[in-house]
Amino acid sequence: MSSDVTRLSQWMDHHRTRMELGPLSILIRKLLSHSLLSTDDQQAIAALPHKLRRLQPGESILREGDQAEICPVLLSGFAYRQKVASDGGRQIVALKLPGDALDLQSLYLEKADHDIRMLTTAEMALVPLAAMEQLTIKRPAVARAVLIDILVEASIGREWLLNIGRRNALARLAHLLCELHDRVSDIASEASEYFEIPLTQEQLADLLGLTPVHINRMVRQLEKMGAIGRPSRSLTILNLSELAKISKFSSAYLHRNNVSGV
């Protein structure tokens, strides 16, 4: 089975070898998944000033209450948004994948209302927020693409609320895995049904509003059905169609065909 598994890191390595416009090519590719951008617009994004930085799992790039000065773009690895309750309980409210700009909302909001932490070792390009703001002012198509990206993230957030509030535990987990597959496919160099999800059971619990014990039961149930595998601490999707059947998954909320309506 290991020979059949296409890892996200391998996809990103392949992507880096074909980046004609430099590190920010992956952001351009993400924006093109839902917006039309001219060659000049793409080149303007690629020319944004940026510094490269590598962070380790658990490190923060933004904390609640911060006034952001940079817009980090995730080049490889996974990150997440979290909110922390007064008693210390954590809720993961968003997962960020390679190609995602981690804090576009700070273009319009003065202070951060959440934390952003690394889920895995991650590489990112740190773009000055002022430079990103000037680009959106000068180039309406880029501004529109940024707005659509923010709206798509809000749409995903609404679906997560539905997932936690109305789907049973097995469907919650299956739905999340289907979503991650579709989102990865938007930026991957090649599509594959098989890839690993670097989420521990504790992190899945904080994301899906369940206990780690309950997550463990759901993971074992999906394993018995042949839908996922656990070659290590992470999960591997083995049967996407089975996960979609369990969760009645529809990707409409990801707005992947938005370009056709432009």
Side-chain angles (χ1 to χ4, degrees), residues 17-198:
T17 66
R18 54 195 293 273
M19 289 191 303
E20 298 177 358
L21 294 176
L24 295 180
S25 289
I26 195 168
L27 171 62
I28 296 168
R29 186 169 185 168
K30 166 68 186 307
L31 296 177
L32 287 172
S33 73
H34 56 58
S35 300
L36 293 177
L37 292 169
S38 69
T39 300
D40 286 347
D41 288 329
Q42 294 177 48
Q43 291 175 341
I45 295 171
L48 282 167
H50 60 272
K51 294 182 179 180
L52 300 181
R53 184 176 174 186
R54 185 179 180 89
L55 278 77
Q56 300 303 313
E59 283 194 73
S60 297
I61 192 67
L62 185 73
R63 296 182 184 274
E64 185 169 356
D66 285 353
Q67 186 167 2
E69 297 181 352
I70 58 169
C71 179
V73 176
L74 198 58
L75 305 181
S76 69
F78 283 69
Y80 61 90
R81 298 187 194 275
Q82 70 171 22
K83 294 284 290 184
V84 180
S86 57
D87 63 0
R90 177 181 69 169
Q91 181 69 38
I92 294 176
V93 297
L95 283 177
K96 307 302 288 180
L97 278 57
D100 285 340
L102 302 186
D103 192 31
L104 288 174
Q105 70 178 43
S106 285
L107 286 168
Y108 309 105
L109 300 176
E110 184 177 353
K111 291 187 177 181
D113 55 26
H114 59 277
D115 303 329
I116 299 179
R117 292 180 178 269
M118 301 305 107
L119 182 63
T120 66
T121 300
E123 296 173 294
M124 59 186 60
L126 307 182
V127 179
L129 204 60
M132 181 71 78
E133 182 178 16
Q134 285 302 309
L135 183 63
T136 60
I137 292 172
K138 294 177 180 178
R139 293 190 170 270
V142 175
R144 184 181 189 280
V146 165
L147 177 58
I148 290 174
D149 203 69
I150 293 171
L151 292 175
V152 170
E153 182 171 1
S155 178
I156 292 172
R158 290 189 290 273
E159 191 70 25
W160 279 33
L161 282 174
L162 177 64
N163 205 32
I164 292 175
R166 292 298 176 184
R167 294 188 178 106
N168 63 45
L170 190 66
R172 286 187 210 182
L173 179 55
H175 194 278
L176 173 68
L177 297 178
C178 288
E179 176 189 304
L180 291 178
H181 173 272
D182 273 25
R183 289 173 61 191
V184 165
S185 296
D186 285 339
I187 48 88
S189 299
E190 56 183 286
S192 174
E193 181 170 332
Y194 308 105
F195 67 93
E196 291 189 12
I197 308 296

